[in-house]
Every structure is written in structure tokens, then in C-alpha cells.
Amino acid sequence: MKNKLWIPVIALLLITSVDSYGQRWKLRRYEVDLYVAGIAFHGDIGKADQPFANMINGFRPSFGVTPRYKVTQNISVALDLAYAMYGGKDDPESSHGRYYSFNSNAFVHGIRGEYYILGTRENIFASGMYNRRGMVNSYNRLFLYAYGGVSGILSKSKVKDLNNDGEEPINNPGYNNNAVYSVVFPVGLGLKFEIDPRWSIGFEGGYSFSLSDEIDGYASEWSEYNDSYYTLSVKGILKIRNDKNGRPVFKKLYR
């Protein structure tokens, strides 16, 4: 008979933990992501006919910050501010003898929306600590979310002709060595694991397609597609408390 009493007790603990999280998110609406990412660029210069090799060929680092505000328990909006690098090098055999390489530096700035698919209400990923009074810690939750948005990218690229001692192909009409501004549309999926009341770690994988064919500094006359790139990032996420009016409270940041 005593064993049967555990059923309602466990059910009550689960319901209580879900409800406590439902209230807790309202007290931590603000987050700031600090991240390191890698960008695999797909443009006119590179190994376009070798997708996997091209991912490695054009892989460069990126660094950024993402302030976030939780609108509801499942929906957040965020700014994305990043310094990005990307590059690539031709395969002379597949590019009909052309042997170009390029390196770009860019500033990315935009806004995006996030929808949390798992983790906001479900308790299946959560682990809790208990004492005689019940649950004392319901952190260590895993979140899954999808995101999409729109960004601007200001890019400056330099192209080298490796068949000509690395000189810039100034006479090539497709080369643009000026700064280029374009709009990009990022989409992707992310995972976030809550460590404690202040910190989470996160991972994201995304794809961004642009409205320009020149953010790598070169647009071939045979090009059929605009530039795009894949992003893989690792994040440290700081959660910031807010008061009952929704304003951030930095004095209580470490409580």
C-alpha cells in the first residue's frame, strides 16, 4: 500500500516543477550570448562541385554577441552582432584553369525570432535535486529551438590570382574590391542546456542565404546563385534577472 503512495507524490513533484519553471522564466527574460562560430562559405570562388570539400575549404572563425528578450515562454527575439571571416580557394581542375583565392572580413548585424520547441514546459530533459521538503533545484534543462531572421552584412574582400603570383585580378570585370553591403536571411536550429540560475551553454547550426553574389568580392559571369554560408557556433549564455516591471536588475545578477 505504501508503494502506491509514491505515484501521487511523484506526479505532484513533476507538476510542481513544471509550474515553478513556468513562473521562473518571467523573472529572467533577458539573456546575453557570447559565442565563437565557424563559417563555411559557398560563393563563386571555391570547390562548388565538391560540397563536403567546399565546407572545409572555406571554413573561417567568427565571434559575436546576441542579446535576447523572452516575449513569451516559447518565443524570444534577439539581436545578432558578429565579426565574421570567410574565405575559399579554387580547384583549378574544376574551375577550368582559374585559380583564385579570397578572404573576407565582415560585420553582421540583424534581428531574429526564436521558437522553443522543447524544454519550456516538458520535464523529460530536466534533472532535479530533492530534500525532505521536495525539489530544491529544477535546473539542468535542455531546450531545442528554431530561429529565423534578417540581417545586414557589410563585407570587404580581397581576391588573389594564384596563377599570377597572388596578384589581385583587377582587370577581371567580376572582381569588386570595394566594401559590399547586402541582406542575408539566417535560419537554423539550436540547443541550450541550463547549468544553473545564471549560466547556460548552447550550440547552433544555421544556414544564411544572401541577396548578393558579391559579398565574397567576386561574381562570375557563369554564376547562377547568390552567395550563402553555413554557421556552426558554441555559446556561453548569461541570464539576467528582471523586476516585476520587466526591467533588468543588474544588482541581483549573481543571486
mmCIF file of all heavy atoms in Angstrom, residues 110-141:
data_model
loop_
_atom_site.group_PDB
_atom_site.id
_atom_site.type_symbol
_atom_site.label_atom_id
_atom_site.label_comp_id
_atom_site.label_asym_id
_atom_site.label_seq_id
_atom_site.Cartn_x
_atom_site.Cartn_y
_atom_site.Cartn_z
ATOM 1 N N GLY A 110 21.792 42.035 -37.174
ATOM 2 C CA GLY A 110 20.421 41.741 -37.564
ATOM 3 C C GLY A 110 19.541 41.382 -36.387
ATOM 4 O O GLY A 110 19.956 41.415 -35.224
ATOM 5 N N ILE A 111 18.317 41.025 -36.700
ATOM 6 C CA ILE A 111 17.331 40.638 -35.700
ATOM 7 C C ILE A 111 16.743 39.294 -36.090
ATOM 8 O O ILE A 111 16.640 38.970 -37.277
ATOM 9 C CB ILE A 111 16.217 41.707 -35.583
ATOM 10 C CG1 ILE A 111 15.293 41.382 -34.408
ATOM 11 C CG2 ILE A 111 15.434 41.847 -36.888
ATOM 12 C CD1 ILE A 111 14.329 42.518 -34.080
ATOM 13 N N ARG A 112 16.385 38.515 -35.095
ATOM 14 C CA ARG A 112 15.815 37.206 -35.379
ATOM 15 C C ARG A 112 14.796 36.822 -34.317
ATOM 16 O O ARG A 112 14.814 37.343 -33.195
ATOM 17 C CB ARG A 112 16.905 36.145 -35.459
ATOM 18 C CG ARG A 112 17.532 35.783 -34.127
ATOM 19 C CD ARG A 112 18.655 34.796 -34.333
ATOM 20 N NE ARG A 112 18.980 34.090 -33.107
ATOM 21 C CZ ARG A 112 19.910 33.153 -33.003
ATOM 22 N NH1 ARG A 112 20.620 32.823 -34.071
ATOM 23 N NH2 ARG A 112 20.137 32.539 -31.867
ATOM 24 N N GLY A 113 13.924 35.912 -34.675
ATOM 25 C CA GLY A 113 12.958 35.355 -33.747
ATOM 26 C C GLY A 113 13.298 33.902 -33.469
ATOM 27 O O GLY A 113 13.798 33.186 -34.342
ATOM 28 N N GLU A 114 13.022 33.450 -32.243
ATOM 29 C CA GLU A 114 13.299 32.073 -31.844
ATOM 30 C C GLU A 114 12.032 31.443 -31.298
ATOM 31 O O GLU A 114 11.313 32.061 -30.491
ATOM 32 C CB GLU A 114 14.388 32.034 -30.771
ATOM 33 C CG GLU A 114 15.704 32.643 -31.208
ATOM 34 C CD GLU A 114 16.691 32.787 -30.071
ATOM 35 O OE1 GLU A 114 16.286 32.590 -28.899
ATOM 36 O OE2 GLU A 114 17.853 33.127 -30.346
ATOM 37 N N TYR A 115 11.755 30.221 -31.717
ATOM 38 C CA TYR A 115 10.606 29.482 -31.188
ATOM 39 C C TYR A 115 11.109 28.221 -30.507
ATOM 40 O O TYR A 115 11.783 27.392 -31.124
ATOM 41 C CB TYR A 115 9.625 29.117 -32.301
ATOM 42 C CG TYR A 115 8.432 28.342 -31.775
ATOM 43 C CD1 TYR A 115 7.416 28.991 -31.082
ATOM 44 C CD2 TYR A 115 8.357 26.961 -31.952
ATOM 45 C CE1 TYR A 115 6.333 28.291 -30.578
ATOM 46 C CE2 TYR A 115 7.268 26.252 -31.458
ATOM 47 C CZ TYR A 115 6.264 26.927 -30.766
ATOM 48 O OH TYR A 115 5.194 26.226 -30.265
ATOM 49 N N TYR A 116 10.790 28.071 -29.229
ATOM 50 C CA TYR A 116 11.275 26.943 -28.437
ATOM 51 C C TYR A 116 10.327 25.764 -28.587
ATOM 52 O O TYR A 116 9.163 25.816 -28.183
ATOM 53 C CB TYR A 116 11.445 27.361 -26.983
ATOM 54 C CG TYR A 116 12.664 28.219 -26.801
ATOM 55 C CD1 TYR A 116 12.653 29.565 -27.196
ATOM 56 C CD2 TYR A 116 13.849 27.694 -26.312
ATOM 57 C CE1 TYR A 116 13.792 30.353 -27.085
ATOM 58 C CE2 TYR A 116 14.993 28.474 -26.187
ATOM 59 C CZ TYR A 116 14.952 29.802 -26.576
ATOM 60 O OH TYR A 116 16.086 30.576 -26.472
ATOM 61 N N ILE A 117 10.866 24.691 -29.176
ATOM 62 C CA ILE A 117 10.073 23.508 -29.480
ATOM 63 C C ILE A 117 9.981 22.588 -28.270
ATOM 64 O O ILE A 117 8.922 22.029 -27.976
ATOM 65 C CB ILE A 117 10.706 22.750 -30.662
ATOM 66 C CG1 ILE A 117 10.814 23.678 -31.878
ATOM 67 C CG2 ILE A 117 9.900 21.506 -31.013
ATOM 68 C CD1 ILE A 117 11.706 23.134 -32.981
ATOM 69 N N LEU A 118 11.091 22.426 -27.548
ATOM 70 C CA LEU A 118 11.151 21.570 -26.371
ATOM 71 C C LEU A 118 11.857 22.294 -25.239
ATOM 72 O O LEU A 118 12.729 23.127 -25.464
ATOM 73 C CB LEU A 118 11.915 20.275 -26.677
ATOM 74 C CG LEU A 118 11.280 19.291 -27.664
ATOM 75 C CD1 LEU A 118 12.251 18.141 -27.924
ATOM 76 C CD2 LEU A 118 9.964 18.750 -27.130
ATOM 77 N N GLY A 119 11.470 21.956 -24.010
ATOM 78 C CA GLY A 119 12.180 22.448 -22.840
ATOM 79 C C GLY A 119 11.465 23.496 -22.032
ATOM 80 O O GLY A 119 11.802 23.716 -20.873
ATOM 81 N N THR A 120 10.468 24.178 -22.603
ATOM 82 C CA THR A 120 9.801 25.243 -21.859
ATOM 83 C C THR A 120 8.745 24.709 -20.894
ATOM 84 O O THR A 120 8.505 25.279 -19.842
ATOM 85 C CB THR A 120 9.131 26.231 -22.816
ATOM 86 O OG1 THR A 120 8.227 25.518 -23.675
ATOM 87 C CG2 THR A 120 10.167 26.930 -23.667
ATOM 88 N N ARG A 121 8.123 23.604 -21.249
ATOM 89 C CA ARG A 121 7.095 23.022 -20.387
ATOM 90 C C ARG A 121 7.409 21.570 -20.016
ATOM 91 O O ARG A 121 7.107 21.133 -18.918
ATOM 92 C CB ARG A 121 5.722 23.076 -21.079
ATOM 93 C CG ARG A 121 5.256 24.498 -21.351
ATOM 94 C CD ARG A 121 3.879 24.502 -21.992
ATOM 95 N NE ARG A 121 3.455 25.844 -22.321
ATOM 96 C CZ ARG A 121 2.855 26.675 -21.487
ATOM 97 N NH1 ARG A 121 2.619 26.288 -20.256
ATOM 98 N NH2 ARG A 121 2.499 27.885 -21.867
ATOM 99 N N GLU A 122 8.011 20.836 -20.953
ATOM 100 C CA GLU A 122 8.282 19.436 -20.700
ATOM 101 C C GLU A 122 9.357 19.286 -19.633
ATOM 102 O O GLU A 122 10.277 20.072 -19.551
ATOM 103 C CB GLU A 122 8.754 18.728 -21.982
ATOM 104 C CG GLU A 122 7.748 18.808 -23.119
ATOM 105 C CD GLU A 122 7.866 20.104 -23.900
ATOM 106 O OE1 GLU A 122 8.634 20.980 -23.477
ATOM 107 O OE2 GLU A 122 7.161 20.236 -24.906
ATOM 108 N N ASN A 123 9.232 18.241 -18.845
ATOM 109 C CA ASN A 123 10.205 17.987 -17.796
ATOM 110 C C ASN A 123 11.073 16.774 -18.099
ATOM 111 O O ASN A 123 11.859 16.341 -17.273
ATOM 112 C CB ASN A 123 9.488 17.768 -16.462
ATOM 113 C CG ASN A 123 10.368 18.073 -15.270
ATOM 114 O OD1 ASN A 123 11.022 19.101 -15.244
ATOM 115 N ND2 ASN A 123 10.400 17.176 -14.294
ATOM 116 N N ILE A 124 10.944 16.222 -19.303
ATOM 117 C CA ILE A 124 11.623 14.970 -19.599
ATOM 118 C C ILE A 124 13.133 15.142 -19.700
ATOM 119 O O ILE A 124 13.873 14.185 -19.535
ATOM 120 C CB ILE A 124 11.091 14.353 -20.915
ATOM 121 C CG1 ILE A 124 11.256 15.339 -22.063
ATOM 122 C CG2 ILE A 124 9.652 13.928 -20.765
ATOM 123 C CD1 ILE A 124 10.887 14.743 -23.417
ATOM 124 N N PHE A 125 13.627 16.370 -19.951
ATOM 125 C CA PHE A 125 15.055 16.589 -20.051
ATOM 126 C C PHE A 125 15.643 17.156 -18.765
ATOM 127 O O PHE A 125 16.830 17.392 -18.694
ATOM 128 C CB PHE A 125 15.376 17.560 -21.190
ATOM 129 C CG PHE A 125 15.025 17.026 -22.540
ATOM 130 C CD1 PHE A 125 14.032 17.632 -23.294
ATOM 131 C CD2 PHE A 125 15.669 15.918 -23.038
ATOM 132 C CE1 PHE A 125 13.702 17.136 -24.540
ATOM 133 C CE2 PHE A 125 15.339 15.415 -24.286
ATOM 134 C CZ PHE A 125 14.353 16.031 -25.034
ATOM 135 N N ALA A 126 14.791 17.419 -17.791
ATOM 136 C CA ALA A 126 15.253 18.090 -16.581
ATOM 137 C C ALA A 126 15.685 17.093 -15.525
ATOM 138 O O ALA A 126 15.127 16.003 -15.402
ATOM 139 C CB ALA A 126 14.156 18.993 -16.022
ATOM 140 N N SER A 127 16.683 17.450 -14.758
ATOM 141 C CA SER A 127 17.052 16.686 -13.574
ATOM 142 C C SER A 127 16.880 17.589 -12.374
ATOM 143 O O SER A 127 17.142 18.778 -12.438
ATOM 144 C CB SER A 127 18.507 16.207 -13.672
ATOM 145 O OG SER A 127 19.387 17.300 -13.733
ATOM 146 N N GLY A 128 16.428 17.037 -11.278
ATOM 147 C CA GLY A 128 16.153 17.858 -10.112
ATOM 148 C C GLY A 128 16.906 17.361 -8.892
ATOM 149 O O GLY A 128 17.327 16.210 -8.810
ATOM 150 N N MET A 129 17.089 18.254 -7.921
ATOM 151 C CA MET A 129 17.661 17.893 -6.639
ATOM 152 C C MET A 129 16.559 18.001 -5.604
ATOM 153 O O MET A 129 15.791 18.967 -5.592
ATOM 154 C CB MET A 129 18.828 18.838 -6.292
ATOM 155 C CG MET A 129 20.031 18.709 -7.212
ATOM 156 S SD MET A 129 21.337 19.863 -6.770
ATOM 157 C CE MET A 129 21.646 19.387 -5.055
ATOM 158 N N TYR A 130 16.506 17.025 -4.730
ATOM 159 C CA TYR A 130 15.424 16.968 -3.759
ATOM 160 C C TYR A 130 15.992 16.873 -2.340
ATOM 161 O O TYR A 130 17.084 16.363 -2.122
ATOM 162 C CB TYR A 130 14.540 15.736 -4.011
ATOM 163 C CG TYR A 130 13.876 15.710 -5.361
ATOM 164 C CD1 TYR A 130 14.542 15.174 -6.460
ATOM 165 C CD2 TYR A 130 12.597 16.226 -5.542
ATOM 166 C CE1 TYR A 130 13.941 15.147 -7.708
ATOM 167 C CE2 TYR A 130 11.991 16.199 -6.785
ATOM 168 C CZ TYR A 130 12.665 15.665 -7.861
ATOM 169 O OH TYR A 130 12.067 15.631 -9.090
ATOM 170 N N ASN A 131 15.212 17.390 -1.409
ATOM 171 C CA ASN A 131 15.453 17.112 0.000
ATOM 172 C C ASN A 131 14.124 16.730 0.634
ATOM 173 O O ASN A 131 13.151 16.450 -0.063
ATOM 174 C CB ASN A 131 16.107 18.314 0.695
ATOM 175 C CG ASN A 131 15.224 19.559 0.663
ATOM 176 O OD1 ASN A 131 14.018 19.468 0.412
ATOM 177 N ND2 ASN A 131 15.831 20.705 0.914
ATOM 178 N N ARG A 132 14.039 16.741 1.923
ATOM 179 C CA ARG A 132 12.812 16.296 2.585
ATOM 180 C C ARG A 132 11.627 17.208 2.303
ATOM 181 O O ARG A 132 10.481 16.817 2.440
ATOM 182 C CB ARG A 132 13.047 16.205 4.089
ATOM 183 C CG ARG A 132 14.039 15.103 4.482
ATOM 184 C CD ARG A 132 14.232 15.067 5.978
ATOM 185 N NE ARG A 132 15.177 14.013 6.348
ATOM 186 C CZ ARG A 132 15.539 13.783 7.617
ATOM 187 N NH1 ARG A 132 15.040 14.548 8.608
ATOM 188 N NH2 ARG A 132 16.404 12.811 7.880
ATOM 189 N N ARG A 133 11.928 18.436 1.905
ATOM 190 C CA ARG A 133 10.850 19.391 1.630
ATOM 191 C C ARG A 133 10.410 19.350 0.174
ATOM 192 O O ARG A 133 9.484 20.043 -0.215
ATOM 193 C CB ARG A 133 11.311 20.804 1.972
ATOM 194 C CG ARG A 133 11.599 20.994 3.456
ATOM 195 C CD ARG A 133 12.024 22.433 3.725
ATOM 196 N NE ARG A 133 12.316 22.628 5.139
ATOM 197 C CZ ARG A 133 12.718 23.798 5.649
ATOM 198 N NH1 ARG A 133 12.871 24.844 4.832
ATOM 199 N NH2 ARG A 133 12.967 23.906 6.930
ATOM 200 N N GLY A 134 11.106 18.556 -0.643
ATOM 201 C CA GLY A 134 10.741 18.478 -2.051
ATOM 202 C C GLY A 134 11.872 18.942 -2.942
ATOM 203 O O GLY A 134 13.050 18.890 -2.570
ATOM 204 N N MET A 135 11.510 19.433 -4.134
ATOM 205 C CA MET A 135 12.525 19.854 -5.107
ATOM 206 C C MET A 135 13.132 21.196 -4.708
ATOM 207 O O MET A 135 12.415 22.145 -4.412
ATOM 208 C CB MET A 135 11.897 19.963 -6.495
ATOM 209 C CG MET A 135 12.886 20.393 -7.561
ATOM 210 S SD MET A 135 12.171 20.381 -9.225
ATOM 211 C CE MET A 135 12.193 18.627 -9.561
ATOM 212 N N VAL A 136 14.471 21.240 -4.703
ATOM 213 C CA VAL A 136 15.162 22.487 -4.382
ATOM 214 C C VAL A 136 15.901 23.052 -5.598
ATOM 215 O O VAL A 136 16.358 24.171 -5.580
ATOM 216 C CB VAL A 136 16.157 22.282 -3.222
ATOM 217 C CG1 VAL A 136 15.403 21.940 -1.953
ATOM 218 C CG2 VAL A 136 17.176 21.198 -3.556
ATOM 219 N N ASN A 137 16.026 22.262 -6.673
ATOM 220 C CA ASN A 137 16.671 22.746 -7.887
ATOM 221 C C ASN A 137 16.047 22.042 -9.080
ATOM 222 O O ASN A 137 16.068 20.828 -9.183
ATOM 223 C CB ASN A 137 18.172 22.453 -7.845
ATOM 224 C CG ASN A 137 18.854 22.796 -9.158
ATOM 225 O OD1 ASN A 137 18.350 23.597 -9.935
ATOM 226 N ND2 ASN A 137 19.994 22.180 -9.397
ATOM 227 N N SER A 138 15.467 22.801 -9.979
ATOM 228 C CA SER A 138 14.864 22.223 -11.187
ATOM 229 C C SER A 138 15.580 22.733 -12.434
ATOM 230 O O SER A 138 14.977 22.891 -13.475
ATOM 231 C CB SER A 138 13.374 22.560 -11.263
ATOM 232 O OG SER A 138 13.177 23.956 -11.297
ATOM 233 N N TYR A 139 16.870 23.020 -12.300
ATOM 234 C CA TYR A 139 17.645 23.470 -13.450
ATOM 235 C C TYR A 139 18.139 22.259 -14.242
ATOM 236 O O TYR A 139 17.614 21.172 -14.134
ATOM 237 C CB TYR A 139 18.794 24.364 -12.988
ATOM 238 C CG TYR A 139 18.293 25.655 -12.378
ATOM 239 C CD1 TYR A 139 18.208 25.816 -11.008
ATOM 240 C CD2 TYR A 139 17.860 26.704 -13.190
ATOM 241 C CE1 TYR A 139 17.715 26.987 -10.453
ATOM 242 C CE2 TYR A 139 17.371 27.878 -12.644
ATOM 243 C CZ TYR A 139 17.301 28.014 -11.283
ATOM 244 O OH TYR A 139 16.810 29.165 -10.748
ATOM 245 N N ASN A 140 19.178 22.447 -15.004
ATOM 246 C CA ASN A 140 19.706 21.387 -15.884
ATOM 247 C C ASN A 140 18.657 20.933 -16.879
ATOM 248 O O ASN A 140 18.434 19.740 -17.076
ATOM 249 C CB ASN A 140 20.218 20.200 -15.060
ATOM 250 C CG ASN A 140 21.232 20.589 -14.007
ATOM 251 O OD1 ASN A 140 21.111 20.207 -12.870
ATOM 252 N ND2 ASN A 140 22.223 21.378 -14.386
ATOM 253 N N ARG A 141 18.045 21.910 -17.540
ATOM 254 C CA ARG A 141 17.062 21.614 -18.566
ATOM 255 C C ARG A 141 17.689 21.766 -19.946
ATOM 256 O O ARG A 141 18.585 22.572 -20.154
ATOM 257 C CB ARG A 141 15.855 22.564 -18.450
ATOM 258 C CG ARG A 141 15.122 22.484 -17.135
ATOM 259 C CD ARG A 141 14.003 23.519 -17.072
ATOM 260 N NE ARG A 141 12.932 23.184 -17.987
ATOM 261 C CZ ARG A 141 11.871 22.459 -17.649
ATOM 262 N NH1 ARG A 141 11.753 21.982 -16.433
ATOM 263 N NH2 ARG A 141 10.926 22.201 -18.511
#
